[in-house]
Amino acid sequence: MKQPLPKKFDILEVEEKWQKKWEEMGVYRFDWEDKKRTTFSVDTPPPYPSGEFHMGLVLNWTYFDIVARYKRMRGYNVYFPQGWDCHGLPTEVEVERLHKIKKTDLPPDQFRMLCEKLVGKNISAMKKAITNLGCSIDWTTEYKTMDPDYWRRTQLSFVLLYKKGFIYRGTHPVNWCPRCGTAIADAEVEYETRTAQLHYINFKLEDDGFLTVATTRPELIPACVTVAVSPHDERYKQYVGKKIHVPTTNRTVEVITDDLVDPEFGTGVVMICTYGDKADVKSVAKHKLPVITCIDENGRMTQNAGKYAGMTTEEAKKAIIDDLKKEELLENIEPTNQEVSVCWRCHTPIEILEKEQWFMKTRILSSQVEKNALEIRWYPDYMKYRLIDWAKSLEWDWVISRQRVFATPIPIWYCKKCNEIILAEPNWLPIDPRTENPRIDKCPNCGSKEFKPERDVLDTWFDSSITCAVHAGWPDREDWKRLFPADVHPSGVDIIRTWAYYLMVRHLALFNEKPYKSCLINGMVLGTDGRSMHKSFGNYVASKEVFSKYGADATRQWVAGGGATGSDIPFRWPDVEYGWRFLIKLWNAARFVCNQLKDYESKENVKCVLQPLDKWILSKAEKLTKKVTDALETCQFNIAMEEIRNFTWHVFCDCYIEAVKDRLYKPDFYGKEKREAVQYMLYTVLYRILQLLAPITPHVTEEIYQIMYAEEKSRKSIHLSPWPTLNEKHVDEEAEKRGDLIMAVITEIRREKAEKHMPLNTQIKKLIIYAGGKDTAEIIMEGREDISGTCKAANIEVLPKKGEGREIKPYSDIQFLAEY
Ligand SMILES: [Zn+2]
Ligand SMILES: [Zn+2]
């Protein structure tokens, strides 16, 4: 050990230094040439480049970085890629806001350029944050889904799925966000409970009298196609089959029965409109009812709404209520709580519109999704049901077309004359049909030479749901199956129904194989007030602030120790600060060890005389190794964290180092071999701690490793050192029992000094220990050197009987008397 550890320890400086060096040294590169080591691939989710790497992402990335680092040390050839899921609505909205324009104000390619510029800026901010978090990513793998080279893959997957019959164009009700002006998938619909007004409206029967319909959406009356009652509702039996007049229109419809009607809701009479909700969609299909569209893509009333045409839905609602009042058809209005479907992005209530769109057949895969979900390893296990239940709950296929600009184009044209669909050939890709013609002379159906492009674009999830294959090298590398399925797919609990689900159905459809072997789930980050962390709640903490205050290694300890994997984790400054203090403690301990090893010639087969406490710490270090290994194998990061921190802080620093100092300082008195025994232990156990900690706190462990161990261990980084395996030979229950007892004696004597307000180095003239029996007396005698040395006892007497004095906890039979 030639070089001492510096006294000054600037965590932020150390972290920045290693982040740079790791990249220069290529520590985290995947080795494509290496065919010996088993591969381990992480299906890193390409994040959406919002520009902000928030604490939720910190949680996410820390989890799988710990896994990647652990596996690398276990000897795997780790593939840890990073991409960016660029396309999407939020960027378009942000560009519109920044430039004070609408997407239609510019030609699509110019608008797209503004989006790309913004995304580029946001990516560099987020890349910096991922680097600052110390993630062991192989940056040579970086990709962006907005790049033409990625389009090529997305479009190829479209072409293949189309040819396999998984993709179709059809007219079907879809979820529509009128504000965003696009279709959205079920997974993008969220539910909110809102207070609404329930209107009781009289519908006149053609014969005589009326039925009272209860509805929260009177603006849909012009789209009413039938009035329904429950088949079991005796009150209305006589009206079934009768004609009834739809108010504000000149239409009549028939009263029918439908078992979807809840007799308890409102009056038990409902109108079925095209469409108010998903139940309407079902009823219309079941009874083969006509479709009257009265709301358009912008949320305005259509010509079908008669005099209300052109009004917004809100305006129409008011006008219709006024008209109903005038005609004395409005019976009553009362407030009600209602679950409203809203757009995930802008929280505008969605409409259900019948549209011609592109769909992927996903429901036919549901039983395969279930089968594979059960085969996959989930951390934690119960999360698999989130995926299974979601797949089973789906009623519609996945609508994959969007009416936006910044997205991957659909590689399709139509013949202008006969409307024949022209699908791009794989070797045309990437291609944008909006700017390029299909590479054929004429329509294969009618011979026409004129084509029109598909202007719709693909859902962003269509880009990001092929990452498992793309990461592996598909479609360019012949050996891509080497990295497929991915070994781990990490996901937030809130996006199992999107990310984990879409990956599953897309890869099953494309390759008839599951995309990942295991799924690692993280919970949400809660603010200091216990609510989920959100800018609008005032409980938001930016990762930048946390990094700049305490650094990444402290932040990562908060993640690892914050709670069980999969559970929500509250953000607490004291937890991060505790992590930071632990690093200081570790640094100071390492500095002490380093100073004591100046004359130490490390030899693995060093012949030293291990004392009871040496065997004790060695055995405990082996057991710790087993516990941490088991915890990391099962992604229980909080257990690994707790075990290492406890051992380092209390067992190693507070107990062992304190108890062996005297032996270290006085080789002339105790003998050189006994000092060597301590040196050997300090050297070995500290190295073990650093290795076990390396996946969680990669920077500080690397810094200490490089100064103290790199030369001897001859690995260029601690992160490439082999993970320690349990050495059964060193596990010694008897030695632990003995050591525990000796340590208890030392602790109790030091406690007495502290209670009497004496300095710990106060001399004890005479120390008598009543061991309570022969066996315990022997053990204490064995450790008497460390006891007297640590407690500064000039004279020590151990008696094999019970006596008087202060009890040594938790051994009720053992006491001591100290004469100061
Ligand atoms: Zn929206
Ligand atoms: Zn044609």
Side-chain angles (χ1 to χ4, degrees):
M1 216 65 41
K2 287 155 197 110
Q3 190 190 354
L5 243 61
K7 190 168 182 186
K8 185 176 160 276
F9 172 48
D10 186 328
I11 292 179
L12 300 185
E13 216 171 81
V14 165
E15 292 188 349
E16 207 189 317
K17 177 179 81 185
W18 283 111
Q19 286 154 15
K20 247 193 225 131
K21 281 201 174 182
W22 286 330
E23 195 51 34
E24 286 163 15
M25 292 157 70
V27 173
Y28 307 124
R29 297 273 184 282
F30 177 74
D31 187 351
W32 287 99
E33 302 311 317
D34 183 348
K35 302 277 153 70
K36 266 195 240 141
R37 283 182 298 162
T38 313
T39 58
F40 184 89
S41 61
V42 181
D43 176 45
T44 320
Y48 173 72
S50 64
E52 175 98 18
F53 198 75
H54 56 74
M55 292 309 285
L57 295 173
V58 167
L59 170 66
N60 209 198
W61 260 249
T62 303
Y63 270 11
F64 50 87
D65 186 53
I66 293 174
V67 173
R69 287 181 178 281
Y70 168 68
K71 292 289 179 184
R72 204 176 283 114
M73 289 175 78
R74 288 299 305 247
Y76 289 87
N77 189 5
V78 172
Y79 186 67
F80 190 178
Q82 185 65 64
W84 305 96
D85 189 14
C86 306
H87 290 132
L89 200 53
T91 300
E92 291 189 21
V93 174
E94 185 64 7
V95 164
E96 287 174 331
R97 197 184 64 83
L98 284 173
H99 298 274
K100 298 191 177 65
I101 51 167
K102 277 175 124 179
K103 65 171 177 177
T104 42
D105 294 347
L106 288 178
D109 52 332
Q110 282 184 33
F111 186 79
R112 203 188 145 84
M113 258 168 53
L114 293 178
C115 291
E116 283 178 4
K117 219 173 126 196
L118 175 67
V119 165
K121 197 181 108 216
N122 286 347
I123 286 177
S124 44
M126 292 176 79
K127 185 173 172 179
K128 186 162 188 302
I130 293 180
T131 305
N132 288 346
L133 181 59
C135 292
S136 58
I137 282 158
D138 178 352
W139 284 107
T140 61
T141 61
E142 192 178 359
Y143 64 91
K144 303 183 186 90
T145 60
M146 66 182 181
D147 289 346
D149 196 49
Y150 197 94
W151 279 17
R152 177 171 62 89
R153 299 159 212 259
T154 305
Q155 291 182 327
L156 177 62
S157 72
F158 179 94
V159 169
L160 294 179
L161 289 181
Y162 184 92
K163 287 184 174 167
K164 284 183 140 201
F166 276 99
I167 284 178
Y168 64 93
R169 185 161 168 78
T171 301
H172 188 276
V174 293
N175 305 300
W176 186 272
C177 175
R179 202 214 65 89
C180 300
T182 185
I184 57 175
D186 279 344
E188 292 161 302
V189 176
E190 289 181 354
Y191 298 93
E192 285 177 6
T193 305
R194 293 186 179 180
T195 314
Q197 303 296 328
L198 191 57
H199 303 76
Y200 290 84
I201 301 160
N202 291 339
F203 281 41
K204 282 185 183 153
L205 286 152
E206 205 172 49
D207 301 348
D208 201 14
F210 57 83
L211 291 178
T212 308
V213 167
T215 178
T216 55
R217 300 198 61 191
E219 69 275 21
L220 283 171
I221 289 176
C224 170
V225 289
T226 190
V227 166
V229 296
S230 163
H232 315 293
D233 198 333
E234 293 298 328
R235 291 173 294 177
Y236 302 115
K237 242 185 179 142
Q238 51 174 312
Y239 303 110
V240 176
K242 296 268 189 308
K243 293 270 180 205
I244 195 164
H245 181 246
V246 179
T248 76
T249 73
N250 46 21
R251 287 187 295 115
T252 56
V253 295
E254 201 181 299
V255 179
I256 63 165
T257 60
D258 191 321
D259 42 24
L260 286 176
V261 177
D262 174 9
E264 304 291 319
F265 176 79
T267 56
V269 185
V270 299
M271 58 175 186
I272 290 172
C273 306
T274 49
Y275 293 99
D277 56 21
K278 279 193 161 182
D280 286 348
V281 177
K282 276 192 205 157
S283 299
V284 168
K286 191 162 74 183
H287 304 290
K288 300 198 168 48
L289 298 166
V291 175
I292 301 173
T293 303
C294 78
I295 296 174
D296 74 5
E297 295 151 12
N298 306 313
R300 287 187 181 269
M301 306 305 283
T302 66
Q303 293 306 318
N304 288 334
K307 64 191 263 206
Y308 310 109
M311 292 183 184
T312 65
T313 49
E314 273 311 302
E315 289 162 358
K317 185 183 226 160
K318 275 198 200 100
I320 287 175
I321 291 170
D322 282 346
D323 288 346
L324 291 172
K325 277 183 188 159
K326 271 181 222 151
E327 289 184 51
E328 294 181 342
L329 293 173
L330 187 65
E331 191 88 334
N332 186 21
I333 300 179
E334 64 178 34
T336 180
N337 275 333
Q338 192 187 26
E339 203 173 59
V340 185
S341 319
V342 298
C343 166
W344 70 281
R345 177 66 209 154
C346 68
H347 292 262
T348 302
I350 58 141
E351 296 291 349
I352 293 175
L353 300 186
E354 184 141 286
K355 302 289 285 177
E356 192 171 29
Q357 297 284 339
W358 287 95
F359 296 88
M360 174 173 164
K361 286 182 193 166
T362 46
R363 287 170 308 156
I364 55 168
L365 293 164
S366 289
S367 61
Q368 249 181 295
V369 171
E370 181 176 9
K371 182 177 155 276
N372 282 284
L374 291 171
E375 282 170 18
I376 285 163
R377 180 116 199 238
W378 293 77
Y379 306 104
D381 186 61
Y382 62 87
M383 288 293 179
K384 63 181 161 212
Y385 297 108
R386 297 242 176 172
L387 181 63
I388 294 170
D389 293 348
W390 173 251
K392 283 182 168 171
S393 76
L394 288 170
E395 292 171 348
W396 296 351
D397 279 336
W398 175 15
V399 53
I400 55 171
S401 46
R402 295 290 182 276
Q403 292 65 47
R404 303 295 307 183
V405 177
F406 188 46
T408 306
I410 297 177
I412 290 274
W413 298 258
Y414 304 94
C415 169
K416 260 191 183 165
K417 207 166 156 200
C418 73
N419 232 12
E420 173 85 356
I421 288 177
I422 316 288
L423 177 73
E425 289 297 328
N427 60 1
W428 303 355
L429 308 174
I431 198 159
D432 187 347
R434 297 167 298 184
T435 55
E436 256 191 90
N437 271 326
R439 293 172 198 167
I440 51 173
D441 301 336
K442 53 184 198 296
C443 166
N445 185 44
C446 73
S448 159
K449 292 189 172 174
E450 284 192 288
F451 306 98
K452 56 180 187 224
E454 172 58 86
R455 294 201 169 274
D456 283 1
V457 290
L458 288 165
D459 178 5
T460 309
W461 287 110
F462 207 80
D463 297 345
S464 54
S465 55
I466 50 170
T467 54
C468 294
V470 169
H471 289 160
W474 176 85
D476 304 322
R477 291 191 69 98
E478 262 177 38
D479 61 349
W480 70 276
K481 286 270 173 124
R482 199 179 152 204
L483 291 173
F484 183 87
D487 288 280
V488 65
H489 166 69
S491 176
V493 64
D494 54 327
I495 52 173
I496 291 175
R497 65 180 195 169
T498 45
W499 218 308
Y501 175 74
Y502 287 144
L503 281 171
M504 184 59 83
V505 288
R506 292 264 274 140
H507 289 86
L508 282 176
L510 278 165
F511 311 112
N512 199 23
E513 198 170 341
K514 62 171 177 278
Y516 42 87
K517 295 178 199 160
S518 72
C519 207
L520 168 60
I521 304 296
N522 66 274
M524 316 288 346
V525 173
L526 308 178
T528 42
D529 56 357
R531 295 195 293 171
S532 63
M533 193 183 267
H534 202 275
K535 275 185 176 155
S536 66
F537 292 165
N539 61 3
Y540 188 83
V541 179
S543 60
K544 221 176 173 176
E545 190 189 344
V546 186
F547 292 165
S548 63
K549 233 173 176 166
Y550 292 108
D553 281 359
T555 310
R556 293 167 64 107
Q557 287 179 67
W558 157 73
V559 171
T565 302
S567 65
D568 291 348
I569 302 215
F571 178 78
R572 283 184 291 243
W573 280 109
D575 287 4
V576 186
E577 200 196 308
Y578 182 76
W580 180 78
R581 280 193 285 126
F582 173 72
L583 298 174
I584 303 288
K585 181 87 186 174
L586 176 68
W587 182 261
N588 288 335
R591 225 166 63 80
F592 172 82
V593 172
C594 197
N595 283 335
Q596 295 304 320
L597 294 179
K598 276 180 198 142
D599 59 336
Y600 178 69
E601 294 287 333
S602 148
K603 294 171 215 95
E604 281 305 322
N605 55 355
V606 65
K607 261 215 236 137
C608 47
V609 189
L610 295 187
Q611 298 301 298
L613 285 184
D614 304 331
K615 292 180 190 160
W616 172 80
I617 191 84
L618 189 57
S619 179
K620 283 195 182 291
E622 288 299 343
K623 277 197 187 158
L624 172 75
T625 305
K626 168 135 182 29
K627 281 183 204 157
V628 173
T629 306
D630 289 350
L632 290 180
E633 278 296 325
T634 49
C635 296
Q636 291 177 289
F637 311 116
N638 56 329
I639 293 176
M641 178 82 272
E642 203 177 314
E643 292 286 348
I644 310 171
R645 247 186 345 205
N646 234 339
F647 178 87
T648 308
W649 202 309
H650 303 298
V651 181
F652 186 62
C653 295
D654 292 351
C655 291
Y656 182 72
I657 290 184
E658 289 306 321
V660 296
K661 272 183 180 166
D662 211 56
R663 196 150 35 106
L664 265 179
Y665 296 158
K666 297 174 186 161
D668 297 342
F669 181 75
Y670 295 104
K672 200 166 160 279
E673 328 77 63
K674 290 187 185 168
R675 173 176 145 85
E676 274 176 3
V678 178
Q679 285 179 312
Y680 172 55
M681 277 306 108
L682 292 177
Y683 180 83
T684 308
V685 175
L686 177 64
Y687 183 54
R688 183 65 55 91
I689 289 171
L690 293 177
Q691 283 201 296
L692 297 179
L693 263 177
I696 302 175
T697 59
H699 305 87
V700 68
T701 49
E702 180 79 303
E703 177 75 0
I704 298 170
Y705 171 83
Q706 294 291 345
I707 297 173
M708 292 181 63
Y709 295 95
E711 199 178 326
E712 150 99 26
K713 304 286 181 189
S714 65
R715 301 273 177 165
K716 66 177 176 181
S717 163
I718 190 171
H719 302 295
L720 300 175
S721 70
W723 186 256
T725 46
L726 172 71
N727 186 342
E728 295 278 3
K729 255 189 5 217
H730 291 158
V731 178
D732 186 340
E733 297 295 342
E734 189 54 34
E736 282 195 46
K737 241 164 73 188
R738 287 163 179 252
D740 284 343
L741 173 56
I742 295 166
M743 206 49 90
V745 174
I746 292 172
T747 308
E748 200 60 46
I749 296 169
R750 284 162 74 95
R751 196 176 289 145
E752 183 180 80
K753 283 185 182 176
E755 280 170 18
K756 291 186 168 170
H757 305 289
M758 296 178 184
L760 284 176
N761 60 2
T762 305
Q763 282 283 332
I764 299 175
K765 279 186 206 134
K766 190 174 172 133
L767 176 67
I768 304 173
I769 300 172
Y770 298 99
K774 214 174 123 239
D775 294 350
T776 36
E778 251 171 46
I779 296 170
I780 295 170
M781 278 305 283
E782 258 186 273
R784 73 183 182 283
E785 283 186 352
D786 286 337
I787 295 173
S788 60
T790 311
C791 302
K792 311 291 170 216
N795 226 312
I796 179 166
E797 198 176 336
V798 182
L799 302 168
K801 58 179 184 184
K802 262 192 94 134
E804 280 169 40
R806 187 180 168 113
E807 186 182 303
I808 290 170
K809 284 177 191 118
Y811 305 88
S812 54
D813 287 356
I814 310 178
Q815 298 86 18
F816 77 88
L817 271 175
E819 211 179 281
Y820 296 97

